[in-house]
Amino acid sequence: MKSSFNLAILVLVAANLYGPVCHWLTVVGVFRTATDIVTIEAQEIHKIEDTMQCEDMHYYQPTGQIFVACEDSLLPRFQWFPPLGNLQGPAQSTGSFHVIDPKTLKSRRLAFDNFHGPFVTHGIDLVDDPDRQGAIYIYAINHLSNPHYFEKPSTEGIPKAHSQIELFHHVLGSSTVRHVRSISHPLIVTPNDIYAESLHSIYVTNDHFYREGIMRTVEDILPLAKWTNVIHVNVNPIQSNSAATGVDAVVASQGYLNINGLGHGQSKEELLLSSAAGGILYRARADRSNRTLSVLDEFAFESTIDNPTYYDDPYATPEDDASGYVVGGLLRAVDLRRTHNDPHAQEGVMVWHLRRHFGDTASPEWEKRLIFEDDGSNIRSASTALLLPVDPKDPAAKTAMLFVTGFVSKNIIAVEVPL
């Protein structure tokens, strides 16, 4: 442990020789404390019951509902959750899917059909069933433990985790979700989030190069450790009893620091990527001919960021369009190595809204604004934030309902915020 600490110090000293470390120190919150929180107009914060540790959430516009994958008990994640380096396995929890009504703020569970777990939840995405109207498929990360490690006496060289992707089918309005197949490939190592381009075509982020050990520590604290990548996966056939059958994967893009969340942008062609530890949001476009991603532009934030979402303002005017990108992150990510396995800790959160601002010039500029902040009292950690419109009684006082969830939060919260 002492040698690991000394190596970490040496790495940080070396990092001070170049500029990006200043941005990185800001992002991870080295100079921030919970008492630095700016007071935002007091609004009632609603806690949605039975929405524990729902790392990702997606708004499905055709039904006006939010879909999430959650854990069913609080403590297991602090022992087994590979993305946080919690590897005291084997994995034993089985999470669940929930459907949230944004108007009533009620959560409804979906029962599993043909699935018994374990299911350690993380990123998800939804895609319409091309063959059945009123039905969707749900891709979901599942952080399984590796039975070859936990069942064999000799484990040298065998990883503890065997994360994979699960595919489910759901008939909208029904009370169940049916397991279709599992998806596994050697390039899917530390999966974090999923972008479903179509039923057969998905993108997956690997948020770390190393699962554990001293090099994982170096990767977490070295801003130059741009070792993570995005994988493109073709899945065909959809039905299979083997996780490896019909799975063709390639590296679509690489060279990122802690690439994490994936999201849908303002058009079908736009794909959103986030570097969590880098605090960078990327707008990208997919090249289907060679299965690669091209980054169009990037935006820097003053905190870590995770799963990005896009808000399409239905009440936009030429003078006031709140359409833009929404990302949430940690107030002090620097504390995460100390708190990641502590059920009683509090990670504060920051939520940002990025929109175009049309000023006096012909060229639009980007406006970045902190729309919500909490010291961890109301919500612990933030991994996904999304905005849903509120009918403005006063056009000059436009608001939206903000939903925030975290990878170790006890509940999703909802709060009305000014735009």
Side-chain angles (χ1 to χ4, degrees):
M1 180 63 71
K2 184 176 180 181
S3 61
S4 299
F5 179 78
N6 290 337
L7 178 59
I9 293 297
L10 289 174
V11 167
L12 281 177
V13 170
N16 272 283
L17 298 176
Y18 65 95
V21 71
C22 296
H23 172 69
W24 179 80
L25 290 172
T26 299
V27 167
V28 299
V30 169
F31 307 115
R32 275 194 301 264
T33 66
T35 57
D36 293 334
I37 290 181
V38 177
T39 302
I40 299 175
E41 286 188 33
Q43 299 286 348
E44 183 180 2
I45 295 178
H46 307 272
K47 294 186 178 182
I48 302 176
E49 297 300 321
D50 194 25
T51 55
M52 185 182 299
Q53 298 172 346
C54 312
E55 198 271 350
D56 197 7
M57 56 182 170
H58 286 267
Y59 178 65
Y60 188 67
Q61 191 170 11
T63 61
Q65 297 171 317
I66 299 172
F67 283 79
V68 295
C70 310
E71 291 300 305
D72 287 353
S73 53
L74 182 69
L75 295 180
R77 177 151 294 196
F78 297 101
Q79 296 185 352
W80 179 264
F81 191 57
L84 288 178
N86 296 339
L87 295 166
Q88 300 176 45
Q92 297 176 332
S93 64
T94 298
S96 53
F97 288 106
H98 299 236
V99 181
I100 297 170
D101 184 334
K103 295 180 180 178
T104 64
L105 302 181
K106 300 294 184 182
S107 173
R108 176 172 60 89
R109 282 174 172 250
L110 300 179
F112 284 119
D113 180 12
N114 193 37
F115 185 74
H116 304 287
F119 182 32
V120 181
T121 61
H122 205 172
I124 66 171
D125 202 5
L126 318 177
V127 60
D128 289 325
D129 183 342
D131 300 317
R132 180 172 179 176
Q133 188 174 5
I136 60 172
Y137 284 92
I138 306 175
Y139 278 99
I141 304 290
N142 185 7
H143 289 294
L144 296 173
S145 53
N146 189 345
H148 297 293
Y149 179 91
F150 290 99
E151 294 175 4
K152 289 187 176 182
S154 177
T155 59
E156 185 177 354
I158 299 176
K160 296 177 183 178
H162 180 69
S163 302
Q164 63 184 28
I165 299 169
E166 312 292 351
L167 179 61
F168 298 88
H169 186 264
H170 172 63
V171 177
L172 297 169
S174 71
S175 60
T176 61
V177 60
R178 176 176 59 85
H179 186 246
V180 178
R181 66 165 294 172
S182 299
I183 299 162
S184 180
H185 191 277
L187 288 178
I188 303 173
V189 181
T190 56
N192 185 297
D193 202 8
I194 301 172
Y195 176 100
E197 183 179 49
S198 68
L199 178 56
H200 295 279
S201 172
I202 63 173
Y203 292 88
V204 183
T205 53
N206 283 312
D207 60 26
H208 283 80
F209 187 85
Y210 295 95
R211 289 187 176 96
E212 59 180 323
I214 183 61
M215 290 306 296
R216 166 78 174 231
T217 301
V218 171
E219 188 176 6
D220 282 340
I221 67 172
L222 180 62
L224 274 182
K226 297 182 178 182
W227 304 334
T228 57
N229 58 22
V230 184
I231 306 299
H232 179 258
V233 185
N234 279 329
V235 184
N236 193 14
I238 290 302
Q239 303 270 355
S240 177
N241 293 324
S242 168
T245 298
V247 179
D248 175 44
V250 298
V251 176
S253 189
Q254 59 187 340
Y256 299 97
L257 171 65
N258 188 211
I259 200 70
N260 242 41
L262 286 165
H264 295 264
Q266 59 183 317
S267 68
K268 290 184 178 180
E269 290 72 32
E270 186 177 86
L271 185 150
L272 306 177
L273 302 166
S274 67
S275 163
I280 304 293
L281 173 68
Y282 301 93
R283 297 198 307 164
R285 179 176 294 136
D287 186 337
R288 296 178 179 84
S289 63
N290 58 15
R291 302 171 67 184
T292 61
L293 293 178
S294 299
V295 172
L296 305 176
D297 49 22
E298 59 185 68
F299 305 93
F301 292 83
E302 284 71 58
S303 73
T304 59
I305 61 172
D306 210 324
N307 305 324
T309 61
Y310 181 77
Y311 174 65
D312 189 5
D313 182 5
Y315 305 108
T317 66
E319 297 78 22
D320 183 15
D321 186 352
S323 299
Y325 306 93
V326 185
V327 288
L330 302 180
L331 184 76
R332 283 181 51 85
V334 67
D335 295 332
L336 201 56
R337 291 197 62 82
R338 174 177 56 82
T339 63
H340 67 96
N341 57 2
D342 181 359
H344 306 293
Q346 289 185 339
E347 289 91 5
V349 311
M350 305 177 80
V351 178
W352 305 88
H353 179 214
L354 177 71
R355 59 185 281 187
R356 287 189 181 273
H357 174 69
F358 294 87
D360 297 330
T361 63
S363 300
E365 297 179 351
W366 291 96
E367 178 186 55
K368 177 177 56 182
R369 190 166 63 94
L370 187 67
I371 58 172
F372 181 77
E373 201 170 13
D374 189 76
D375 64 359
S377 301
N378 293 293
I379 182 167
R380 177 184 177 181
S381 77
S383 50
T384 309
L386 63 85
L387 289 171
L388 294 182
V390 173
D391 191 356
K393 298 177 181 178
D394 179 3
K398 190 183 296 184
T399 65
M401 187 63 77
L402 173 68
F403 294 82
V404 186
T405 189
F407 47 87
V408 287
S409 58
K410 292 183 179 180
N411 300 95
I412 295 174
I413 65 167
V415 56
E416 191 172 346
V417 296
L419 295 180

